[in-house]
Amino acid sequence: MILLFVLRVVSATPFVLVEPYRSDWSAAHPVVRGGTVLVLEVDPALLTMTNTPRPVLYVGEAPVEVLARDVDAGLVRVVVPGALGAEAFIYFGGAALPETITAEAGARELASARAAGLLPLRIPVSAAAVTVLDHAALAGR
Amino acid sequence: MPLVLLTLLLGCPPEPPATTKTPCGTLLAIAGDPSVPVTLETGAVGLIRTYPLEVTAAVDVTWSTSGAVEVVDATGAVLTTVQGPGELFLRAPSEGEGEVLATWGDGCRARLATVAQAPAPLIGRPRTLAPFWHSATSFLEGETIYLGLDAARFPDRVGLAFDAWVVAHRSLAEWESDPVLAGSGVQSAIAAGALVPVPLAVADAGEDALAAIDVVLDFDRDGVLGPGDLVQGLGAPGASVIGDLSAPGPHAVETVDVSGGWFLGQRVWWPTDLAALGPRPLVVISHGNGHEYVWYDYLGEHLASWGFVVMSHQNNTEPGIEACSTTTLSNTDWLLGHLDEIGGGALLGLVDSSRIGWIGHSRGGEGVVRALDRMADGDDVPDNYGPDDIAFIASIAPTVFNDVDESDPHDRPYFLIAGTADGDVTGGVDYDITQFFRIWERATGPKAAAYVHGASHNDFNCCAMQEGQGPELIGRVEAHVVAKAYLLATARAWLDGEDALLAHFRDEFTGFTPLGLAEDDLVATSWRNATSAGDGVLDDFQAEYDTDVSSAGAAVESDAGGLMEGRLRDGDRVMGWTNDDPFNGMTHNATPGDDARGAVFSWTEGSAPSWAVAIPRALTDARPWSVVSFAVTQRSRHPLTVSWGWALAFGVTLVDVHGAEATVDFADQALVPTPYARLGLGPGRGWANEFVTVRIPLVDFRGIDLHQLAWLRLDLGEAHGAPEGALGLDSVEFAR
């Protein structure tokens, strides 16, 4: 496995949703009630979009929803549902469609990444959780 | 009565020759040669397609008939007796031979033989190779429409003068109420011997880029469609003229951007005069991954200018096909539920939710198929429409992530368009997900495909990065011309019932490429009728895998090289040629859920082999069908494909049970394109196989008995256009 590392976590903003939504970004379709919006710095080449499968971005064992990307700057803004500790394994796994990633597949990806030497990244949570109305408002932030 | 009459002299026993005068005197007069059977055409309604007889003698005549002929009066009533003089008519209730027997006076009798046949096209275009004629019912604007009468078909009329008219189509009721031929006819006559094409008119499609026409041969030259005249176009139009479908339509267009929330952003286009048009079909555009919904103005404006309401929406493509199918479903539903809010209510009551077309690009191209499948399986039930309201689906270079049970077009009309230079969903042999013809194979409704040489993936929107790979890229501007023409043709055909526009797929035999495309554009097109259409399959290779038995269980004889049947799948996923992978370059079958199969063979310089299939007993009478149809491709990077290096042709021969043969050569069309000369995936040039569907009118196989056919044969070799070559073959059938 060739690990595709996330370079750093630029920012982390906790949020709470007034109107939860059902995420399309894994086979489990978790309901997102709150979590953390991360801005990550990555290799810009990993942010180009094609219609064939691209490496999936994970935090821990779960794919994360991409809200926005700045390919030129190599920045990507993602949603991590639920609680997030002071550190997390953040990495690009194998090419796939995120909606097809089961919990078992996610666990395998993390195990492979850790076996390949993946280390956790520090999460620089810098503020108290903000209240956001809904999914659209979250994407617009 | 006809201006040109020959007197038919018939009389007392023993039955005399038709032209012998007898003491019984002259009884009948007919227009044609009395020494041969009168030719009739079936489908007579009222007095149209009847044949006039004039009773010249003042006698009581008793009639009897046998076989496929009836004697009727001017009201259409069948006669058994009549008092002369007067006018009677022959009509044919079915195909076949018939006989009319008239008796009168003191034992006088007369017999008239008839032959009834189904109407066949009277018009077409000349060709330079056998049979030097192509019967046609579709013409491009500006093309000359030729009359082509086969003397063998109407032997009794040889030498008769007539006026030929090309007129706007009329319904049967309109012809019956107004049989007058407006305009001016072209005087001509049926020549003995070989068919001689006669120029009739220059085709005019009119403002709608589609005109329906009828053709009348007015044998009594009285300027009226009546008994004895030949007509192409009773009921359905006789032929169609197609204009430039890539040009803007006649309607001004309005557009607005709206949003109903998360992934409900939409751009909507509609004709400014929508209120005058009444409820119009809806076309929905679902973009691909990394694309934007505002990148399809070229298509939205174009379709709206031709009278459609069009909406392009935000598509949630990144999670996958299920997510983007959800946004196709929800955006369609949201628009139909909020017509009062869009454009100030300009669409309210003016969108026909029972006629919806879905067009998707890339992941969106698979998403629209998946969306239909979800509805068809009952997994998703929108509020404002249902699965039966999806009238057609079009996919632009779609992905194929799902298997057949999830991304299934079912029986909906389906159109696939893709580019050979696609650098994203490449269509290459190395990756199942990019092999878009797999979806096409799944569709069981009528389906069309256009594989555009030199078009890239993102040529089909305005703004994504250019990723095209290969020579002679046609660029975004030209790709838009191609897409507009073909997508408008399918939208009008399947949303408005203008089936004639599908001629761009069904009539490719003479290179029926849409107007507006650049002269050097090359598009490999395919057509397949719905599986429920009842086409007569001779060999589709889906059963009986021995090469000497067809899928219908009949014999196959061939001395072509390397004949083999198998899955239409590249065996080693490398485009470079090896002898171990005879289906090199095939991309119609990749996973166990795919089932497309075909055959391959080749021939070398100096040889003249053939591939022939016996026609099974149930299909020997070809009357239910109108064309011989098959799908054929040159084999990518095969040494003989490379050596020949050009578009390819061969001959198609039908053999009847009496041993008579008729061959149609199409080397003047060179229909089977040379594979797109793209590099990659191994040594050599050439990309995925490009099947084209060849459909040859059965009536063009002249001089044989089409009711009793025995063999269909493909004749290969230099005499038929290509001294060497390597082909893939599929779906050999009689089709409508």
Side-chain angles (χ1 to χ4, degrees), chain B residues 22-88:
Chain B
T22 76
C24 286
T26 301
L27 176 67
L28 301 173
I30 63 172
D33 182 347
S35 67
V36 296
V38 169
T39 52
L40 307 172
E41 291 193 325
T42 57
V45 178
L47 293 181
I48 301 175
R49 284 213 182 106
T50 60
Y51 191 94
L53 294 177
E54 185 179 358
V55 178
T56 57
V59 294
D60 291 328
V61 185
T62 299
W63 303 91
S64 65
T65 60
S66 61
V69 65
E70 294 173 334
V71 179
V72 298
D73 66 13
T75 69
V78 176
L79 290 177
T80 54
T81 63
V82 69
Q83 184 175 38
E87 191 172 41
L88 305 175

Coordinates of all heavy atoms in Angstrom, one line a residue, chain B residues 22-88:
Chain B
T22 N -62.5 -12.6 -80.2 CA -63.4 -13.7 -80.4 C -64.8 -13.2 -80.8 O -65.1 -12.0 -80.6 CB -63.5 -14.6 -79.2 OG1 -64.3 -13.9 -78.2 CG2 -62.1 -14.8 -78.6
P23 N -65.6 -14.1 -81.1 CA -67.0 -13.7 -81.4 C -67.7 -13.1 -80.2 O -68.7 -12.4 -80.3 CB -67.7 -15.0 -81.8 CG -66.5 -15.8 -82.4 CD -65.4 -15.5 -81.5
C24 N -67.2 -13.4 -79.0 CA -67.8 -12.8 -77.9 C -67.6 -11.3 -77.8 O -68.3 -10.6 -77.0 CB -67.3 -13.4 -76.6 SG -67.9 -15.1 -76.4
G25 N -66.7 -10.7 -78.5 CA -66.5 -9.3 -78.5 C -65.6 -8.8 -77.4 O -65.1 -9.5 -76.6
T26 N -65.4 -7.5 -77.5 CA -64.6 -6.8 -76.5 C -65.3 -6.6 -75.2 O -66.5 -6.1 -75.2 CB -64.1 -5.4 -77.1 OG1 -63.4 -5.6 -78.3 CG2 -63.3 -4.7 -76.1
L27 N -64.7 -6.9 -74.1 CA -65.4 -6.7 -72.8 C -64.7 -5.7 -71.9 O -65.3 -4.8 -71.4 CB -65.5 -8.0 -72.1 CG -66.1 -7.9 -70.7 CD1 -67.6 -7.5 -70.8 CD2 -65.9 -9.2 -69.9
L28 N -63.3 -5.8 -71.8 CA -62.7 -5.0 -70.8 C -61.6 -4.2 -71.4 O -61.0 -4.5 -72.4 CB -62.0 -6.0 -69.7 CG -62.9 -6.9 -69.0 CD1 -62.0 -7.9 -68.2 CD2 -63.8 -6.1 -68.1
A29 N -61.2 -3.1 -70.7 CA -60.1 -2.3 -71.0 C -59.3 -2.0 -69.7 O -59.8 -1.7 -68.7 CB -60.5 -0.9 -71.6
I30 N -58.0 -2.2 -69.8 CA -57.1 -2.0 -68.7 C -55.9 -1.1 -69.2 O -55.7 -1.0 -70.4 CB -56.6 -3.3 -68.0 CG1 -55.7 -4.1 -69.1 CG2 -57.7 -4.1 -67.5 CD1 -55.0 -5.2 -68.4
A31 N -55.2 -0.6 -68.2 CA -54.2 0.4 -68.5 C -52.9 -0.3 -68.9 O -52.1 0.2 -69.8 CB -53.9 1.3 -67.3
G32 N -52.6 -1.4 -68.4 CA -51.3 -2.0 -68.6 C -51.2 -3.1 -69.7 O -52.1 -3.2 -70.5
D33 N -50.1 -3.8 -69.6 CA -49.9 -4.9 -70.6 C -50.8 -6.1 -70.3 O -50.7 -6.7 -69.2 CB -48.4 -5.3 -70.6 CG -48.1 -6.4 -71.6 OD1 -49.0 -6.9 -72.2 OD2 -46.9 -6.6 -71.8
P34 N -51.8 -6.4 -71.2 CA -52.7 -7.4 -70.9 C -52.1 -8.8 -71.0 O -52.7 -9.8 -70.6 CB -53.8 -7.3 -71.9 CG -53.1 -6.7 -73.1 CD -52.0 -5.8 -72.5
S35 N -50.9 -8.9 -71.4 CA -50.3 -10.3 -71.6 C -49.6 -10.7 -70.3 O -49.2 -11.9 -70.2 CB -49.2 -10.2 -72.7 OG -48.1 -9.4 -72.4
V36 N -49.5 -9.9 -69.3 CA -48.9 -10.3 -68.0 C -49.9 -10.0 -66.9 O -50.8 -9.2 -67.1 CB -47.6 -9.6 -67.8 CG1 -46.6 -9.9 -68.8 CG2 -47.8 -8.1 -67.7
P37 N -49.8 -10.7 -65.8 CA -50.7 -10.5 -64.7 C -50.8 -9.0 -64.3 O -49.7 -8.3 -64.3 CB -50.2 -11.4 -63.6 CG -49.4 -12.4 -64.3 CD -48.8 -11.7 -65.5
V38 N -51.9 -8.5 -64.0 CA -52.1 -7.2 -63.4 C -51.5 -7.2 -62.0 O -51.7 -8.1 -61.2 CB -53.6 -6.8 -63.3 CG1 -53.8 -5.6 -62.5 CG2 -54.2 -6.7 -64.7
T39 N -50.6 -6.2 -61.8 CA -50.0 -6.1 -60.4 C -50.8 -5.2 -59.5 O -51.2 -4.1 -59.9 CB -48.5 -5.6 -60.5 OG1 -48.5 -4.3 -61.3 CG2 -47.6 -6.6 -61.2
L40 N -51.1 -5.7 -58.4 CA -51.9 -5.0 -57.4 C -51.0 -4.8 -56.1 O -50.1 -5.5 -55.9 CB -53.1 -5.7 -57.0 CG -54.1 -6.2 -58.1 CD1 -55.1 -7.1 -57.6 CD2 -54.7 -5.0 -58.8
E41 N -51.4 -3.7 -55.3 CA -50.7 -3.6 -54.1 C -51.7 -3.7 -53.0 O -52.9 -3.2 -53.1 CB -50.0 -2.2 -54.0 CG -48.8 -2.1 -54.9 CD -48.0 -0.9 -54.6 OE1 -48.6 0.2 -54.2 OE2 -46.8 -1.0 -54.7
T42 N -51.4 -4.4 -51.9 CA -52.3 -4.6 -50.8 C -52.5 -3.3 -50.0 O -51.8 -2.3 -50.2 CB -51.7 -5.7 -49.9 OG1 -50.4 -5.3 -49.4 CG2 -51.6 -7.0 -50.6
G43 N -53.4 -3.4 -49.1 CA -53.7 -2.2 -48.2 C -54.6 -1.3 -48.8 O -54.7 -0.1 -48.5
A44 N -55.5 -1.7 -49.7 CA -56.4 -0.8 -50.4 C -57.4 -0.3 -49.4 O -57.9 -1.0 -48.5 CB -57.1 -1.5 -51.5
V45 N -57.7 1.0 -49.5 CA -58.7 1.6 -48.6 C -59.6 2.5 -49.6 O -59.0 3.3 -50.3 CB -58.1 2.5 -47.5 CG1 -59.2 3.2 -46.7 CG2 -57.2 1.7 -46.6
G46 N -60.9 2.3 -49.5 CA -61.7 3.0 -50.4 C -61.3 2.5 -51.8 O -61.2 1.3 -52.1
L47 N -61.0 3.4 -52.7 CA -60.6 3.1 -54.0 C -59.1 3.3 -54.3 O -58.6 3.1 -55.4 CB -61.4 3.9 -55.1 CG -62.9 3.5 -55.1 CD1 -63.6 4.3 -56.2 CD2 -63.1 2.0 -55.4
I48 N -58.4 3.8 -53.2 CA -57.0 4.0 -53.3 C -56.3 2.6 -53.3 O -56.7 1.7 -52.5 CB -56.4 4.8 -52.2 CG1 -57.1 6.2 -52.2 CG2 -54.9 5.0 -52.3 CD1 -56.8 7.1 -51.1
R49 N -55.3 2.4 -54.1 CA -54.7 1.1 -54.3 C -55.6 0.1 -54.9 O -55.4 -1.1 -54.7 CB -54.0 0.6 -53.0 CG -52.8 1.3 -52.7 CD -51.8 0.4 -52.0 NE -50.6 1.1 -51.6 CZ -50.3 1.5 -50.3 NH1 -51.1 1.1 -49.3 NH2 -49.3 2.2 -50.1
T50 N -56.6 0.5 -55.6 CA -57.3 -0.4 -56.5 C -56.9 -0.2 -57.9 O -56.1 0.7 -58.2 CB -58.9 -0.2 -56.4 OG1 -59.1 1.2 -56.8 CG2 -59.4 -0.4 -55.0
Y51 N -57.3 -1.1 -58.8 CA -56.9 -1.1 -60.2 C -58.2 -1.0 -61.0 O -59.1 -1.8 -60.8 CB -56.1 -2.3 -60.5 CG -55.4 -2.3 -61.8 CD1 -54.1 -1.9 -61.9 CD2 -56.1 -2.7 -63.0 CE1 -53.4 -1.9 -63.1 CE2 -55.4 -2.6 -64.2 CZ -54.1 -2.2 -64.2 OH -53.5 -2.2 -65.5
P52 N -58.2 0.0 -61.9 CA -59.5 0.2 -62.7 C -59.6 -0.8 -63.9 O -58.7 -1.1 -64.6 CB -59.4 1.6 -63.2 CG -57.9 1.8 -63.3 CD -57.2 1.0 -62.3
L53 N -60.9 -1.2 -64.0 CA -61.3 -2.0 -65.2 C -62.4 -1.3 -65.8 O -63.4 -0.9 -65.1 CB -61.7 -3.4 -64.8 CG -60.8 -4.4 -64.2 CD1 -61.5 -5.7 -63.8 CD2 -59.7 -4.7 -65.1
E54 N -62.4 -1.2 -67.1 CA -63.6 -0.6 -67.8 C -64.3 -1.7 -68.5 O -63.7 -2.4 -69.4 CB -63.2 0.5 -68.7 CG -64.4 1.2 -69.4 CD -64.0 2.3 -70.3 OE1 -62.7 2.5 -70.4 OE2 -64.9 2.9 -70.9
V55 N -65.6 -1.9 -68.2 CA -66.4 -2.9 -69.0 C -67.0 -2.1 -70.1 O -67.7 -1.1 -70.0 CB -67.5 -3.4 -68.1 CG1 -68.4 -4.3 -68.9 CG2 -67.0 -4.1 -66.9
T56 N -66.5 -2.5 -71.3 CA -66.8 -1.8 -72.5 C -68.1 -2.3 -73.2 O -68.6 -1.6 -74.1 CB -65.7 -1.8 -73.5 OG1 -65.4 -3.2 -73.8 CG2 -64.4 -1.2 -72.9
A57 N -68.5 -3.5 -72.9 CA -69.6 -4.0 -73.6 C -70.9 -3.9 -72.8 O -70.9 -4.0 -71.6 CB -69.4 -5.5 -74.0
A58 N -72.0 -3.7 -73.5 CA -73.3 -3.6 -72.8 C -73.9 -5.0 -72.6 O -74.9 -5.4 -73.3 CB -74.3 -2.7 -73.7
V59 N -73.3 -5.7 -71.7 CA -73.8 -7.0 -71.4 C -73.9 -7.2 -69.9 O -73.3 -6.5 -69.1 CB -72.8 -8.1 -72.0 CG1 -72.8 -8.0 -73.5 CG2 -71.4 -7.9 -71.4
D60 N -74.6 -8.2 -69.5 CA -74.6 -8.6 -68.1 C -73.4 -9.6 -67.8 O -73.3 -10.6 -68.5 CB -75.9 -9.4 -67.7 CG -77.1 -8.5 -67.7 OD1 -76.9 -7.3 -67.4 OD2 -78.2 -8.9 -68.1
V61 N -72.6 -9.2 -66.9 CA -71.4 -10.0 -66.6 C -71.4 -10.6 -65.2 O -71.8 -9.9 -64.3 CB -70.1 -9.1 -66.8 CG1 -68.8 -10.0 -66.6 CG2 -70.1 -8.4 -68.1
T62 N -71.1 -11.8 -65.1 CA -70.9 -12.4 -63.8 C -69.5 -12.6 -63.5 O -68.7 -13.1 -64.3 CB -71.7 -13.8 -63.8 OG1 -73.0 -13.6 -64.1 CG2 -71.5 -14.5 -62.4
W63 N -69.1 -12.3 -62.2 CA -67.7 -12.3 -61.8 C -67.5 -13.4 -60.8 O -68.3 -13.6 -59.9 CB -67.3 -11.0 -61.2 CG -67.5 -9.8 -62.1 CD1 -68.6 -9.1 -62.2 CD2 -66.6 -9.4 -63.1 NE1 -68.4 -8.1 -63.2 CE2 -67.2 -8.3 -63.8 CE3 -65.3 -9.7 -63.5 CZ2 -66.6 -7.6 -64.8 CZ3 -64.7 -9.0 -64.5 CH2 -65.3 -7.9 -65.2
S64 N -66.4 -14.1 -60.9 CA -65.9 -14.9 -59.7 C -64.4 -14.7 -59.6 O -63.7 -14.4 -60.6 CB -66.2 -16.4 -60.0 OG -65.5 -16.9 -61.1
T65 N -63.9 -14.8 -58.4 CA -62.5 -14.6 -58.2 C -61.9 -15.8 -57.4 O -62.7 -16.4 -56.6 CB -62.2 -13.3 -57.5 OG1 -62.9 -13.3 -56.2 CG2 -62.7 -12.1 -58.3
S66 N -60.7 -16.0 -57.5 CA -60.0 -16.9 -56.6 C -58.6 -16.3 -56.3 O -58.1 -15.5 -57.0 CB -59.8 -18.3 -57.3 OG -59.0 -18.1 -58.5
G67 N -58.1 -16.7 -55.1 CA -56.8 -16.1 -54.7 C -57.0 -14.7 -54.2 O -58.0 -14.3 -53.7
A68 N -55.9 -14.0 -54.3 CA -55.8 -12.7 -53.6 C -56.3 -11.5 -54.5 O -55.5 -10.6 -54.9 CB -54.3 -12.4 -53.2
V69 N -57.6 -11.6 -54.8 CA -58.1 -10.5 -55.6 C -59.6 -10.4 -55.4 O -60.3 -11.4 -55.1 CB -57.8 -10.6 -57.1 CG1 -58.5 -11.9 -57.7 CG2 -58.2 -9.4 -57.9
E70 N -60.2 -9.2 -55.4 CA -61.6 -9.0 -55.3 C -62.0 -8.0 -56.4 O -61.2 -7.2 -56.8 CB -62.0 -8.4 -54.0 CG -61.8 -9.3 -52.8 CD -62.0 -8.6 -51.5 OE1 -61.9 -7.4 -51.4 OE2 -62.3 -9.4 -50.5
V71 N -63.3 -8.1 -56.9 CA -63.8 -7.2 -57.8 C -64.8 -6.3 -57.1 O -65.7 -6.9 -56.4 CB -64.5 -7.8 -59.0 CG1 -65.1 -6.8 -60.0 CG2 -63.6 -8.7 -59.8
V72 N -64.6 -5.0 -57.1 CA -65.5 -4.1 -56.3 C -66.0 -3.0 -57.2 O -65.5 -2.7 -58.3 CB -64.7 -3.5 -55.1 CG1 -64.3 -4.6 -54.2 CG2 -63.6 -2.6 -55.6
D73 N -67.1 -2.4 -56.7 CA -67.7 -1.2 -57.5 C -67.1 0.1 -56.9 O -66.3 0.0 -56.0 CB -69.2 -1.3 -57.5 CG -69.8 -1.1 -56.1 OD1 -69.0 -0.7 -55.2 OD2 -71.0 -1.3 -55.9
A74 N -67.6 1.2 -57.3 CA -67.1 2.5 -56.9 C -67.3 2.8 -55.4 O -66.7 3.7 -54.9 CB -67.7 3.6 -57.7
T75 N -68.2 2.0 -54.8 CA -68.4 2.2 -53.4 C -67.5 1.3 -52.5 O -67.6 1.3 -51.3 CB -69.9 1.9 -53.0 OG1 -70.2 0.5 -53.1 CG2 -70.8 2.7 -53.9
G76 N -66.8 0.4 -53.2 CA -66.0 -0.6 -52.5 C -66.7 -1.9 -52.2 O -66.1 -2.8 -51.6
A77 N -67.9 -2.0 -52.6 CA -68.7 -3.2 -52.4 C -68.2 -4.3 -53.4 O -68.0 -4.1 -54.6 CB -70.2 -3.0 -52.6
V78 N -68.1 -5.5 -52.9 CA -67.7 -6.7 -53.7 C -68.8 -7.0 -54.7 O -70.0 -7.1 -54.3 CB -67.3 -7.9 -52.8 CG1 -67.0 -9.1 -53.7 CG2 -66.2 -7.5 -51.9
L79 N -68.5 -7.2 -55.9 CA -69.4 -7.5 -57.0 C -69.4 -9.0 -57.4 O -68.4 -9.6 -57.4 CB -69.1 -6.7 -58.2 CG -69.4 -5.2 -58.1 CD1 -68.9 -4.5 -59.4 CD2 -70.8 -4.9 -57.8
T80 N -70.6 -9.5 -57.8 CA -70.6 -10.8 -58.4 C -71.3 -10.7 -59.8 O -71.0 -11.5 -60.6 CB -71.5 -11.8 -57.5 OG1 -72.7 -11.2 -57.3 CG2 -70.8 -12.1 -56.2
T81 N -72.1 -9.6 -60.0 CA -72.6 -9.4 -61.3 C -72.6 -7.9 -61.6 O -72.6 -7.1 -60.6 CB -74.1 -9.9 -61.4 OG1 -74.9 -9.2 -60.5 CG2 -74.2 -11.4 -61.1
V82 N -72.6 -7.5 -62.8 CA -72.7 -6.1 -63.2 C -73.2 -6.1 -64.6 O -73.0 -7.0 -65.4 CB -71.3 -5.4 -63.1 CG1 -70.4 -5.9 -64.1 CG2 -71.5 -3.9 -63.2
Q83 N -73.9 -5.0 -64.9 CA -74.3 -4.7 -66.3 C -73.4 -3.7 -66.9 O -73.3 -2.6 -66.4 CB -75.8 -4.3 -66.4 CG -76.3 -4.2 -67.8 CD -77.8 -3.9 -67.8 OE1 -78.3 -3.1 -67.0 NE2 -78.4 -4.4 -68.8
G84 N -72.8 -4.0 -68.0 CA -71.9 -3.0 -68.7 C -72.7 -2.1 -69.5 O -73.9 -2.3 -69.7
P85 N -72.1 -1.0 -70.0 CA -70.7 -0.7 -69.7 C -70.6 0.0 -68.4 O -71.6 0.5 -67.9 CB -70.3 0.3 -70.9 CG -71.6 0.9 -71.2 CD -72.7 -0.1 -71.0
G86 N -69.4 0.1 -67.9 CA -69.1 0.8 -66.6 C -67.7 0.6 -66.1 O -66.9 -0.1 -66.8
E87 N -67.4 1.1 -64.9 CA -66.1 1.0 -64.4 C -66.1 0.1 -63.1 O -66.9 0.3 -62.2 CB -65.5 2.4 -64.1 CG -64.0 2.3 -63.8 CD -63.5 3.8 -63.6 OE1 -64.2 4.6 -63.0 OE2 -62.4 4.0 -64.1
L88 N -65.2 -0.8 -63.1 CA -65.0 -1.7 -61.9 C -63.6 -1.6 -61.4 O -62.7 -1.0 -62.1 CB -65.3 -3.1 -62.3 CG -66.7 -3.4 -62.9 CD1 -66.8 -4.8 -63.3 CD2 -67.8 -3.0 -61.9

